[in-house]
Amino acid sequence: MAKKNVYFYKVVLLRTVQQKEVPVGEFKRIFREIFEKNAENDSWRLSNDNNDRVILDIIEDTEEYLFIRLSKKKPSFSLQKRDYKTFEVLDVLQNSEIENRGVESFTYGILGYKHGILSIVNVKGAPNDGALNGLFTLYNDNFSIENEAIPNPKTLDDLKEGSNPMINRIEISMVRPSAEFLEKILGWNEKKILEEMSKNASILSFEVKPDSRQPLFSDAENIVNLVKTLKKHKSEYTSVKITGKSNANESQREYDLYEECFKFEMNIQEYYTENGIKHERNKKILLNDYENGMKKLYDDNKALLCAIAERL
């Protein structure tokens, strides 16, 4: 099983001129008007850049939800085919094909019409939630779309609730630190140097580590309070990473607080084993697994997601 990170967003549609929020009950009509008028083989361009093409494909559109695939063109010069019997290397695309064909990275998304909540599977190189802006910039600029990430309140539960949790390192980055903050951190009194540094510095990064091989934190209550404090002040930082483990028998791992704050996980079986040989599962079966897995993840967390998004 492969763990897949899924992110949920509260979708907000705004009328462009008045900047007035559109009721969720109108989402289905607005999206379907775009789809009905601008379809190209059940696909819609989300960008005008031929070298950086982003495409939306509708897989299923029901009364309750819209299931989509979001694809982004990959540069063909970074890809190749290989015959593993002969080890011969071949071009993925012939020169004559490059102009009109492409190889893409893709991911899946589901928009629930009733509550206006969007879920996207995080796939490296594939489009993210922002790709949906293209539907309105290209096809209906009477509206604009804003997606608000919905946090996962169960952040770092495995670390906080472990039998013997410990934290060994904290890394924090922040944008444009003030001269006053630099003075406190560095202990310098040279005002002009600190002011010049503050003016030119774009990011300050620092690391907190224990003095020896002992953990920085090993008390469960302190760890819970630390996570709460970091989450409370996360708007002040660009990055917060914690290195630790939930019990003494595990290997330590790095937790990215910003990723952990918003991700929800589901498992997808990408391979099967037959006669000791590992095989990729059929693409149609995987698509079905993604759809069912995403719907189950939403259903399991529906009350929580709707409460946080204030879409009860």
Side-chain angles (χ1 to χ4, degrees):
M1 289 285 188
K3 281 189 177 181
K4 300 296 179 182
N5 293 337
V6 179
Y7 295 85
F8 289 93
Y9 302 88
K10 174 184 176 179
V11 177
V12 178
L13 279 184
L14 298 171
R15 298 187 188 279
T16 306
V17 177
Q18 305 98 327
Q19 285 296 291
K20 184 179 179 182
E21 189 170 338
V22 176
V24 176
E26 296 184 33
F27 281 18
K28 188 193 303 179
R29 174 185 62 80
I30 292 170
F31 275 93
R32 285 186 170 176
E33 283 179 357
I34 291 175
F35 296 145
E36 288 168 5
K37 293 178 182 178
N38 303 281
E40 297 181 60
N41 196 26
D42 286 332
S43 300
W44 291 261
R45 300 170 185 266
L46 299 182
S47 71
N48 278 326
D49 188 343
N50 287 338
N51 292 318
D52 191 25
R53 299 190 190 206
V54 179
I55 307 289
L56 179 150
D57 303 303
I58 290 182
I59 299 171
E60 189 174 8
D61 189 9
T62 72
E63 290 302 305
E64 296 181 0
Y65 65 89
L66 172 70
F67 182 38
I68 59 175
R69 178 171 53 236
L70 294 170
S71 308
K72 185 175 182 179
K73 182 181 178 182
K74 293 175 68 71
S76 59
F77 56 75
S78 66
L79 302 167
Q80 65 182 26
K81 287 193 298 185
R82 185 186 295 274
D83 185 324
Y84 288 117
K85 291 183 178 179
T86 65
F87 286 88
E88 179 186 7
V89 173
L90 304 167
D91 290 333
V92 174
L93 294 172
Q94 300 299 316
N95 288 335
S96 59
E97 297 179 290
I98 292 175
E99 185 67 27
N100 296 312
R101 295 187 178 183
V103 178
E104 301 175 332
S105 295
F106 67 87
T107 188
Y108 297 111
I110 294 180
L111 173 63
Y113 285 131
K114 185 176 181 180
H115 297 103
I117 291 177
L118 170 72
S119 58
I120 298 278
V121 182
N122 184 42
V123 175
K124 187 176 180 180
N128 57 25
D129 64 289
L132 293 182
N133 293 336
L135 282 176
F136 297 95
T137 56
L138 294 179
Y139 305 116
N140 189 346
D141 60 5
N142 292 319
F143 302 94
S144 62
I145 186 170
E146 295 180 0
N147 299 322
E148 301 173 6
I150 301 175
N152 185 349
K154 299 177 182 178
T155 301
L156 304 178
D157 274 359
D158 62 328
L159 179 62
K160 294 182 293 185
E161 298 173 1
S163 59
N164 185 22
M166 59 185 70
I167 291 176
N168 300 313
R169 184 169 67 244
I170 303 171
E171 299 175 61
I172 295 177
S173 297
M174 59 192 306
V175 173
R176 301 207 174 278
S178 66
E180 293 76 17
F181 186 83
L182 289 171
E183 182 179 357
K184 291 177 182 178
I185 289 290
L186 301 174
W188 296 356
N189 295 317
E190 292 79 0
K191 297 290 185 183
K192 288 186 178 180
I193 294 177
L194 290 168
E195 288 173 3
E196 186 73 10
M197 185 183 293
S198 174
K199 183 173 69 175
N200 295 321
S202 61
I203 292 178
L204 170 68
S205 297
F206 58 93
E207 184 178 293
V208 183
K209 294 170 62 176
D211 195 23
S212 64
R213 295 180 64 85
Q214 296 300 311
L216 192 63
F217 291 93
S218 58
D219 180 81
E221 184 177 352
N222 284 337
I223 289 174
V224 170
N225 290 333
L226 170 69
V227 172
K228 286 181 179 178
T229 300
L230 290 171
K231 289 176 69 176
K232 180 181 177 181
H233 295 279
K234 65 183 176 66
S235 61
E236 301 170 24
Y237 315 128
T238 57
S239 173
V240 178
K241 295 180 180 179
I242 299 171
T243 302
K245 52 186 176 180
S246 56
N247 63 69
N249 296 324
E250 288 186 356
S251 298
Q252 67 177 14
R253 55 163 288 197
E254 183 179 87
Y255 298 85
D256 186 321
L257 190 64
Y258 279 71
E259 180 182 323
E260 301 286 338
C261 262
F262 296 98
K263 77 174 183 182
F264 293 73
E265 292 183 343
M266 70 176 184
N267 292 315
I268 297 291
Q269 185 180 340
E270 297 177 327
Y271 300 91
Y272 69 95
T273 302
E274 187 176 59
N275 298 324
I277 300 174
K278 192 175 181 181
H279 302 275
E280 293 183 5
R281 296 180 72 219
N282 182 277
K283 187 177 176 181
K284 289 184 178 180
I285 295 175
L286 280 173
L287 186 150
N288 187 62
D289 286 353
Y290 270 99
E291 181 177 8
N292 290 335
M294 293 173 73
K295 288 195 291 187
K296 184 178 187 304
L297 192 62
Y298 173 78
D299 288 340
D300 289 347
N301 294 279
K302 181 178 178 179
L304 184 67
L305 293 166
C306 291
I308 295 173
E310 298 180 335
R311 292 273 177 85
L312 299 173

